[in-house]
Amino acid sequence: MNDLTIAEKASLTSGASLWTTKPVDRAAIPSITLSDGPHGVRRQIVGGDHLGIGHSIPATCMPPAVALGSSWDADLLRRVGAALGTEARSLGVQVLLGPGINIKRSPLCGRNFEYLSEDPLVSGVLGAALVEGLQSRGVGAALKHFAANNQETNRLRVSAEVDERTLREIYLAGFEHVIKQARPWTVMCAYNKVNGEYASQNRWLLTQVLREEWGFDGLVMSDWGAVDDRVAGVRAGLDLEMPTSGGVTDAQIVEAVRDGRLDPELLDLAAQRVLALVARAQAAQPEAVRAARAGAAPGVFPHAGTPDFTRAYEAAQAGGAVAIAVAGAEEHHRLAREVAGQCAVLLKNDGVLPLAPTASVAVVGELARTPRYQGAGSSQIIPTRLDDALSEMRAAAGADLPFAPGYRLDSSEPDDELVAQARAVAAAADVTVVFLGLPEGAESEGYDRTHLDLPAGQRTLLDAVTATAARTVVVLSNGGVVTVSEWDAKVAAILEGWLLGQAGGGAVADILFGVVNPSGRLAETIPLRLEDTPSYLNFPGDPDEVRYGEGVFVGYRYHDAVDGEVSYPFGHGLSYTSFAYSDLTVSVTGADEEIAVEVAARVTNTGGRHGREVVQLYVSAPSATVRRPVRELRGFTKLALEPGESAEVRFTLGYRDFAFFDVAGGRWQAESGTARVHVGASSRDLRLSADVGLDVPGRRPVLTPDSPLGDWFADAAGRTALLDVVREPSRFLTDDYVKTIGSIPLSRLARFPGSKIDPESLEELAARMRDDRP
């Protein structure tokens, strides 16, 4: 650092191109390469379009986060992360941009397919597993988008207006878990403002919370084009602006240092963090960094001897010799199929699934033949291969199953001829499997959805098929939830297939024919209708501001609090076997902030085949201070059990699992009383419950002359001290009287005519309370 000029230090804090950091040749500092993720490596080809979307090197397209979240399986996501790391490394990538763990505040968010859940625990645990897997291969993760990036509408200018308690409990908690558990190399800030300040220059977020409170020691980068004021960003803790600004913002930093507007130590700090990232990448991938410094990158292409891997790829492609462009692609395709099989959620089944070997089966729906397997935007991967469900079902059945497309993907309107063909095919079969879902243009990065309905043409098709078919199974392909309430009763089974990546077609066939027992569980609620969702009246807000008026009541926290009917609840998912829960035990040790609650239960596979069960632990915590959800997820695990096999599951709960964030005190606060723990299969399917007595007095609030009378009266010591100085307390401070005027600050009450409180005694009273505190 001491050998670098101010200009060289400034240059390190912005990109050299769309995907690389700046080298400093004089100081032997190399460049490193970043690449979009998060469910595949989108390594851009030189000379492609501006962002490389549609012009990237083929890589394994794993199931996107919307599917991965439904696996509820951290071990599985570590394996996915490791595979992504292997491919990134083979393509000369040192940092993969992902995972995205933003909360699904509204089902309308156009980028929900890139996010894991509506719950911060699911997002945090699974996000940490992805980061651990990726970084185990020497490739850094970029945890994104920090923070409160929950919509695409006006995302580059909208301010997320959200109170601190809600931020801490819902929108920051997942990030906190990943930071502390997995130590990602980098964090990417969001485009939007948070309470009026751009995330890219929000010191409270980037320095106070992220670094000082959570202990993050990595690099903070911007989302691409998220920087509004680069100098303010450096002051706030933003280390790297991406992509390149062509030197414009570098010059702004140099000028700000020279004229005293920017402390040079802050520039040094940002540059040091960039150097630390480069050094970490160089230690993990020395061959890749050396190649990048030489203007090339390592390759696994047929022309591996050619130093420029882009030329090698293009030459091989022109000769028809390239189909697999990354290391381990065949093995990773098999993994993608295995993963997809654990992500699909069986919502409903009257026994029609798995398909009987003797049943005649018809397939309807263009999505069976032309799969939609990922979302649109910067995460779009060119797959190494692509399986479709129709071909895979025919292979599984050993027969040429009859097929009718039923609708067109380039139109939402019904096609009478295609519908008639589908009716005829369905009428001749025992079971008709109908593939429905959202077309590519319905959801994407850059814009939000406006409704939750399937296209009209698909609805018309489904009505026609259910009126004709003996039994109907629906398979859904969608990156965000769709309403099913209007047609649910007409069908025998529903398989929520989400977006399942390049091997999803095979995974769907495996589930339909019983090769794989479905084990996915909903990581988000499926509402009856859009109007039932908690953010309905506050999404997407005004052009410049969106108010998070629902507070902590996001997703199931809201639906369960109001006991509202939903189509399918958070955590729900069926299996081809059954599970019984028994033998709940709860024990408590310690007290206050050292409390530990051990919860154990036994789960038994009571059916006739191997299966996986997601065991979920919810807590209903007492609170006399703030309104809280009726229950919140506080633990989960996924068990694999053979028929008749049982296993014990154990969870350990700590102080924070019973706490809310106390904004006034700036701390997590649990309250004494009776909590209730629930173990079950969804937020509405609670098989076992037990009460837990909490002895958590915590820290008493600081009482001042400006504290309301009610706060003084609620504190035992405060009440005693106040009664000591009040004239005629038996007449003046009755319970009913305090209930009526308890919100008035003590200092104001003392000035009321006829007050029984001496204003001169207030400071002495407050000092007495301070001295009385531990």
Side-chain angles (χ1 to χ4, degrees):
M1 283 298 297
N2 293 334
D3 293 335
L4 297 179
T5 67
I6 294 176
E8 287 170 336
K9 293 174 185 178
S11 75
L12 287 172
T13 65
S14 67
S17 67
L18 202 59
W19 303 111
T20 58
T21 64
K22 282 195 183 77
V24 180
D25 294 333
R26 184 186 65 80
I29 299 170
S31 171
I32 63 171
T33 299
L34 302 84
S35 177
D36 261 326
H39 58 271
V41 185
R42 195 172 67 78
R43 182 69 153 96
Q44 184 174 347
I45 297 173
V46 174
D49 62 79
H50 177 61
L51 289 176
I53 300 173
H55 292 83
S56 55
I57 295 168
T60 304
C61 181
M62 291 289 180
V66 62
L68 294 178
S70 291
S71 76
W72 292 63
D73 191 330
D75 291 336
L76 194 70
L77 267 71
R78 284 189 193 91
R79 293 171 61 197
V80 171
L84 295 176
T86 296
E87 294 195 8
R89 186 165 185 152
S90 77
L91 294 177
V93 171
Q94 286 80 57
V95 176
L96 193 69
L97 305 184
I101 64 166
N102 294 98
I103 295 297
K104 299 184 182 186
R105 175 179 176 242
S106 167
L108 293 177
C109 177
R111 212 170 179 178
N112 272 354
F113 59 82
E114 283 193 58
Y115 303 139
L116 292 162
S117 179
E118 68 185 23
D119 181 81
L121 182 67
V122 175
S123 298
V125 170
L126 298 186
L130 270 171
V131 170
E132 289 168 346
L134 179 65
Q135 295 187 166
S136 73
R137 296 299 185 264
V139 177
L143 188 66
K144 63 182 189 181
H145 306 90
F146 190 65
N149 182 178
N150 309 105
Q151 66 186 61
E152 293 299 286
T153 302
N154 298 317
R155 63 176 174 163
L156 270 74
R157 61 170 173 156
V158 73
S159 177
E161 297 295 313
V162 50
D163 66 274
E164 186 178 356
R165 181 190 164 205
T166 299
L167 269 174
R168 298 278 193 167
E169 294 186 24
I170 303 296
Y171 298 102
L172 298 184
F175 285 96
E176 180 182 4
H177 183 93
V178 179
I179 295 297
K180 293 180 176 179
Q181 172 72 29
R183 313 305 299 181
W185 291 10
T186 73
V187 168
M188 179 191 292
C189 77
Y191 282 118
N192 52 281
K193 298 174 184 176
V194 179
N195 293 326
E197 186 73 78
Y198 279 106
S200 62
Q201 57 195 56
N202 191 313
R203 191 180 186 283
W204 181 80
L205 273 178
L206 303 186
T207 295
Q208 183 176 327
V209 173
L210 181 62
R211 296 191 184 280
E212 296 174 357
E213 293 186 23
W214 298 348
F216 177 64
D217 60 0
L219 174 139
V220 177
M221 70 174 73
S222 73
D223 203 340
W224 269 230
V227 172
D228 181 64
D229 183 330
R230 182 71 187 104
V231 174
V234 172
R235 288 198 200 99
L238 181 69
D239 305 310
L240 176 63
E241 175 191 20
M242 289 299 294
T244 180
S245 68
V248 173
T249 57
D250 296 353
Q252 292 173 356
I253 291 175
V254 171
E255 181 183 358
V257 170
R258 287 176 174 165
D259 68 15
R261 289 182 293 114
L262 179 63
D263 186 338
E265 291 186 359
L266 294 178
L267 173 58
D268 285 356
L269 194 56
Q272 284 171 352
R273 289 170 182 155
V274 175
L275 289 178
L277 176 63
V278 172
R280 179 179 257 174
Q282 193 162 23
Q285 297 186 43
E287 74 292 342
V289 177
R290 282 196 301 269
R293 186 176 175 189
V300 293
F301 304 101
H303 295 57
T306 307
D308 184 336
F309 82 131
T310 300
R311 288 203 311 272
Y313 170 73
E314 291 174 342
Q317 187 182 53
V322 107
I324 298 171
V326 292
E330 285 296 333
E331 175 190 350
H332 294 165
H333 184 79
R334 291 191 294 271
L335 174 62
R337 183 167 179 157
E338 176 191 346
V339 172
Q342 292 199 46
C343 294
V345 182
L346 184 60
L347 298 177
K348 176 181 181 179
N349 184 25
D350 70 355
V352 66
L353 295 179
L355 296 170
T358 58
S360 63
V361 178
V363 182
V364 169
E366 183 60 46
L367 285 167
R369 180 172 62 180
T370 309
R372 180 157 179 259
Y373 55 96
Q374 65 177 330
S378 62
S379 67
Q380 192 167 312
I381 303 299
I382 305 298
T384 57
R385 57 183 282 192
L386 181 60
D387 297 342
D388 67 88
L390 178 59
S391 298
E392 295 293 332
M393 289 178 67
R394 286 171 169 169
D400 188 19
L401 302 179
F403 169 73
Y407 52 82
R408 295 168 52 191
L409 290 177
D410 61 356
S411 173
S412 63
E413 297 305 312
D415 185 307
D416 293 341
E417 182 178 351
L418 294 180
V419 171
Q421 293 173 5
R423 286 173 60 94
V425 165
D430 296 329
V431 180
T432 302
V433 181
V434 183
F435 285 76
L436 306 174
L438 298 177
E440 184 173 322
E443 51 187 349
S444 171
E445 178 181 1
Y447 54 86
D448 294 316
R449 297 160 66 192
T450 58
H451 60 80
L452 300 182
D453 301 327
L454 291 170
Q458 294 187 27
R459 280 298 317 278
T460 298
L461 168 70
L462 183 59
D463 289 343
V465 168
T466 55
T468 304
R471 304 180 84 182
T472 304
V473 174
V474 170
V475 178
L476 293 171
S477 298
N478 44 293
V481 298
V482 295
T483 50
V484 301
S485 54
E486 294 181 358
W487 48 267
D488 187 310
K490 300 178 181 180
V491 302
I494 305 172
L495 181 66
E496 175 54 270
W498 303 119
L499 305 177
L500 290 177
Q502 68 181 49
V508 167
D510 291 341
I511 292 172
L512 293 177
F513 284 94
V515 177
V516 168
N517 191 346
S519 61
R521 302 294 184 263
L522 290 177
E524 56 192 297
T525 306
I526 301 181
L528 286 177
R529 56 185 194 140
L530 175 62
E531 291 82 356
D532 295 331
T533 57
S535 63
Y536 175 68
L537 293 177
N538 290 297
F539 184 96
D542 300 321
D544 296 321
E545 179 179 293
V546 54
R547 187 173 66 88
Y548 285 44
E550 67 279 3
V552 299
F553 293 90
V554 176
Y556 73 91
R557 287 170 166 80
Y558 167 78
H559 296 291
D560 291 352
V562 299
D563 197 21
E565 186 179 356
V566 298
S567 287
Y568 294 99
F570 175 81
H572 170 77
L574 303 179
S575 171
Y576 294 154
T577 189
S578 56
F579 300 93
Y581 290 63
S582 63
D583 303 332
L584 176 67
T585 62
V586 179
S587 61
V588 181
T589 59
D592 202 5
E593 295 187 15
E594 303 304 316
I595 192 170
V597 178
E598 300 287 339
V599 181
R602 183 160 295 277
V603 178
T604 304
N605 184 342
T606 55
R609 61 180 296 165
H610 173 275
R612 290 181 171 88
E613 175 72 334
V614 176
V615 184
Q616 302 162 41
L617 173 68
Y618 294 86
V619 167
S620 300
S623 178
T625 305
V626 297
R627 178 174 291 179
R628 302 189 65 178
V630 295
R631 53 187 160 267
E632 297 181 271
L633 184 72
R634 288 294 185 254
F636 63 90
T637 189
K638 196 168 191 176
L639 294 177
L641 299 173
E642 297 294 335
E645 183 183 5
S646 66
E648 185 182 60
V649 294
R650 303 189 70 87
F651 302 97
T652 300
L653 300 172
Y655 180 87
R656 181 154 163 186
D657 292 307
F658 300 95
F660 65 92
F661 189 80
D662 174 16
V663 176
R667 61 180 181 256
W668 293 92
Q669 179 70 57
E671 296 184 293
S672 293
T674 301
R676 194 161 181 80
V677 296
H678 315 269
V679 178
S682 81
S683 75
R684 298 283 179 95
D685 185 3
L686 307 173
R687 308 290 182 87
L688 306 169
S689 298
D691 289 338
V692 179
L694 297 182
D695 179 15
V696 287
R699 288 159 291 189
R700 289 152 56 190
V702 175
L703 295 175
T704 72
D706 291 328
S707 297
L709 173 65
D711 286 5
W712 281 87
F713 230 58
D715 185 278
R719 177 176 180 156
T720 299
L722 184 60
L723 292 175
D724 286 345
V725 301
V726 171
R727 297 186 295 270
E728 303 179 68
S730 60
R731 294 176 54 194
F732 178 61
L733 291 180
T734 65
D735 287 339
D736 286 343
Y737 189 71
V738 171
K739 185 176 180 180
T740 301
I741 65 169
S743 62
I744 301 177
L746 203 60
S747 56
R748 297 186 196 177
L749 194 61
R751 297 197 299 266
F752 275 32
S755 172
K756 305 300 182 181
I757 303 174
D758 181 5
E760 301 299 323
S761 68
L762 294 184
E763 286 300 334
E764 180 182 347
L765 186 63
R768 174 180 166 185
M769 296 307 302
R770 287 194 296 272
D771 293 340
D772 187 48
R773 288 298 187 267

